[in-house]
Amino acid sequence: MAETTVFANATQLLEPFKGVKKLPIEEYFSSGHRTCQGCESALVMKLMVKASGPRTIVLGSTGCMYVANTTYYSTPWVVPWMHTQLGSSGSAALGTAAGLKALMKKGKMKVEPINVIAFCGDGGGADMGLSAISATLTHKEYNSLILMYDNESYANTDIQLSGSTPYGAHTTFSPPGSVKRIIHTRWKKNMAGMLAAGHPECRYVATVCASYAVEMMNKVRKALAIGGPTFIHSLDPCPKGWDYDPMLSHELGELAVETGIWPMYEVEDGVVRLYGKSKAIAQGRARKPVREYLLKQGRFAHFTEEDLEYFQTKVDEMWEKWLIPGVIPFRKDLEEGRP
Ligand SMILES: Cc1ncc(C[n+]2csc(CCOP(=O)(O)OP(=O)(O)O)c2C)c(N)n1
Ligand code: SF4
Ligand SMILES: [Mg+2]
């Protein structure tokens, strides 16, 4: 008969890695994929399953990380994995977690905590699958992690604009022209902040960047170990969509954080913590100018001084005026007399 612990949401004990030298040597996402040279999303997949370990099921939405990782008769996945429809990472996570629980309860499977991770791209997560992710984050009785790898476009279908594409970027849907230079005039969606603020049953939400690999893996381990549904948003430089030399991927990830464009934080049981260099910035470390990040990428090559200045002003605003720098855009000071 099944052990009751499983039905009380037992998770694996996943202690944080104590540094790069302490990482396990085993790989669960190995050779056999066809992602572009310098693809940070592929690195995210590799780090994600290294962090979770072998007793993990991975579910992947359509996108680069599905298509490039499942060439006929060849796959880099060493753990069991399944494709799911573009907008279905949330449903796949919840359904799999519930299915495993039911099979264990009926005695049809050995009772053990199995990690369930569903990944999606920004198109699949921040746009198309948002409602399913939201629904999953309300079901506290099922353990799962949804990881959104954000390359800031619908990359697999040739770099269309998504709700996660940054202001002004050149995509196939927003090519700069001589009459109108900036076609995409919207600020990027605040996905992790939105999900953390609106899902009281979700115990853990974090933003990560693979340039800070050990920190990223430890966030994955925390998300899996804490129990219930959790969410991680990863910013992933994409040489093809962002138009830069693949050797710059790691550096661009660092610059996204150092310029303050990508704040790294976690929300654990309702408590927000900035971490790594984002914490240092909040404590007074100077942010690098956004131009150092933007001008290394062809998708911003059409930017004039005025555009760079506008982008800088918006990032400054996040850090100076938002309730939590770069995280919660609620302002305290708009109406006199109100907190
Ligand atoms: C319902 C649906 N609409 C459109 C497509 C075509 N399609 C396949 S991959 C993809 C891009 C997905 O973008 P994203 O989720 O950001 O992942 P990325 O390709 O960037 O890795 C699209 C539009 C699809 N597979 N299913
Ligand atoms: S287009 Fe971007 S996300 Fe897709 S495989 Fe290439 S580098 Fe990776
Ligand atoms: Mg994408």
Side-chain angles (χ1 to χ4, degrees):
M1 194 56 211
E3 293 158 29
T4 49
T5 47
V6 166
F7 308 118
N9 271 19
T11 57
Q12 291 178 24
L13 290 176
L14 298 167
E15 295 293 335
F17 294 129
K18 295 266 186 307
V20 76
K21 290 187 182 156
K22 304 282 183 196
L23 297 180
I25 199 155
E26 290 82 9
E27 300 290 354
Y28 304 106
F29 176 91
S30 64
S31 55
H33 62 80
R34 297 182 306 148
T35 66
C36 310
Q37 188 183 23
C39 174
E40 286 290 280
S41 296
L43 180 63
V44 166
M45 297 294 117
K46 177 182 152 99
L47 299 176
M48 175 185 90
V49 275
K50 195 185 246 307
S52 67
R55 302 306 289 158
T56 299
I57 294 175
V58 177
L59 313 151
S61 293
T62 323
C64 283
M65 289 306 106
Y66 159 54
V67 177
N69 288 327
T70 48
T71 311
Y72 189 51
Y73 274 172
S74 133
T75 181
W77 292 109
V78 179
V79 294
W81 108 278
M82 186 191 83
H83 168 236
T84 189
Q85 191 268 343
L86 183 46
S88 299
S89 57
S91 329
L94 186 59
T96 303
L100 288 173
K101 213 168 181 178
L103 288 171
M104 289 179 198
K105 198 169 183 178
K106 287 179 179 169
K108 295 194 171 174
M109 260 183 89
K110 184 178 154 227
V111 174
E112 65 169 319
I114 294 178
N115 299 317
V116 174
I117 307 179
F119 67 75
C120 55
D122 48 305
D127 291 342
M128 296 174 72
L130 187 54
S131 60
I133 293 174
S134 173
T136 299
L137 295 185
T138 68
H139 286 275
K140 64 180 174 190
E141 65 278 32
Y142 298 113
N143 302 328
S144 67
L145 163 63
I146 298 169
L147 185 146
M148 188 175 101
Y149 69 92
D150 183 2
N151 49 27
E152 301 193 315
S153 79
Y154 290 78
N156 186 62
T157 38
D158 208 18
I159 323 295
Q160 288 84 30
L161 187 153
S162 82
S164 219
T165 300
Y167 171 89
H170 180 169
T171 67
T172 47
F173 279 3
S174 55
S178 51
V179 176
K180 202 167 176 206
R181 192 179 62 255
I182 301 290
I183 304 292
H184 176 44
T185 56
R186 303 184 294 275
W187 202 246
K188 182 182 168 81
K189 265 188 200 180
N190 190 354
M191 192 57 182
M194 163 180 26
L195 294 180
H199 298 85
E201 306 291 3
C202 167
R203 295 188 59 199
Y204 191 76
V205 170
T207 61
V208 299
C209 177
S211 296
Y212 303 94
V214 177
E215 275 176 337
M216 186 215 137
M217 283 188 274
N218 285 340
K219 302 297 178 236
V220 168
R221 285 170 80 80
K222 201 189 250 194
L224 290 167
I226 201 167
T230 54
F231 179 80
I232 290 182
H233 185 173
S234 167
L235 182 74
D236 304 356
C238 158
K240 183 184 168 199
W242 299 14
D243 189 13
Y244 63 83
D245 187 316
M247 72 184 283
L248 292 178
S249 289
H250 182 88
E251 186 182 341
L252 279 171
E254 287 185 330
L255 280 171
V257 175
E258 289 168 344
T259 53
I261 290 173
W262 185 245
M264 292 194 301
Y265 63 95
E266 59 179 6
V267 185
E268 184 180 351
D269 289 328
V271 177
V272 184
R273 273 183 227 105
L274 290 160
Y275 70 92
K277 288 192 178 154
S278 302
K279 185 176 174 189
I281 291 173
Q283 290 170 343
R285 180 192 170 119
R287 278 179 276 122
K288 288 190 174 168
V290 297
R291 63 189 305 131
E292 287 188 26
Y293 170 77
L294 300 177
L295 293 183
K296 286 196 165 59
Q297 305 170 52
R299 63 180 175 156
F300 300 112
H302 55 292
F303 267 30
T304 60
E305 278 304 318
E306 189 192 335
D307 302 327
L308 291 167
E309 208 173 295
Y310 175 75
F311 207 107
Q312 184 67 62
T313 312
K314 290 286 284 182
V315 174
D316 292 348
E317 196 176 286
M318 287 189 347
W319 284 90
E320 289 159 14
K321 296 193 177 155
W322 288 18
L323 189 59
I324 299 167
V327 183
I328 309 278
F330 298 130
R331 305 250 316 254
K332 291 188 273 193
D333 57 347
L334 285 183
E335 249 181 80
E336 227 181 301
R338 286 181 56 185

